[in-house]
Amino acid sequence: MGSHVQKNGKDRWLGALAIILALVIWEIIAAVIIRYPFILPAPTDVAAAFVNLLQHGTLLLDLKDSLIHFAIGLGVAILVGIPLGIAMGWNHRFNAFIDPIVEIFRPIPPLAWIPFAIIWFGLTAWSAGFVIFAGAVFPIIINTYSGFRSVPRIFVEAGKMLGCTKDRDLIRYIAFPAALPSVAAGIRIATGVGWMCLVAAELFGVSNYGLGQKLWWFYDIHQMDSVVVYMIILGFIGLAFDMVFRYYLDRHFLKWRTGEVA
């Protein structure tokens, strides 16, 4: 146990060292070699821009709007994708009926829906949410379907022998817990795809506010240090979302899969 904790501590120090070295190399290249902030702003310039954005309150406002857009899109994708994936995985007739429709729409790039998002919802949070939904819903559907199709038949038969005969009870107590790792993986993939769709949607003018919209606006006025600030924030938020699934969900909902019982 002690050696495991010590090893994790050393790994964290290695990660911190890599970040420090990257910042030093970045500073040398930007300030000594290139010396042109429009092509590559130095970390010190980026830090100053970050402080300035915080003081003016612009950054927090854009962050709030982007999180609202993301919550709308991912939330609707989960509400639609999980039930649809369960129905497809549990009922082969329903799957035969709906699968062609899913497979026709799935290859369409989410950005192709931007014109209709603007026409249907205008420049509102729902238009950005719709683009995110278009990118996030299919990984959830496919992974939920795959998870249910992979549930061992012996689990279902054992549930029936123990008195769990209704489809609703079999899904709730047998199939869904067994398929949960695949469902969680689908949501994790959808989170990354949806976050990228959010930035693209805001870049194309689906919203008047947000991290992606302001990133493009700062590019138009040649403030590349602020552009880098928004890029780094986008990366950190994406990392935070991923860590929720990697640590919180695995440890609290899926620890039976890894054999952790204490």
Side-chain angles (χ1 to χ4, degrees), residues 29-47:
I29 294 174
V32 179
I33 300 176
I34 296 179
R35 293 186 295 179
Y36 188 25
F38 180 73
I39 295 179
L40 181 65
T44 50
D45 297 329
V46 174

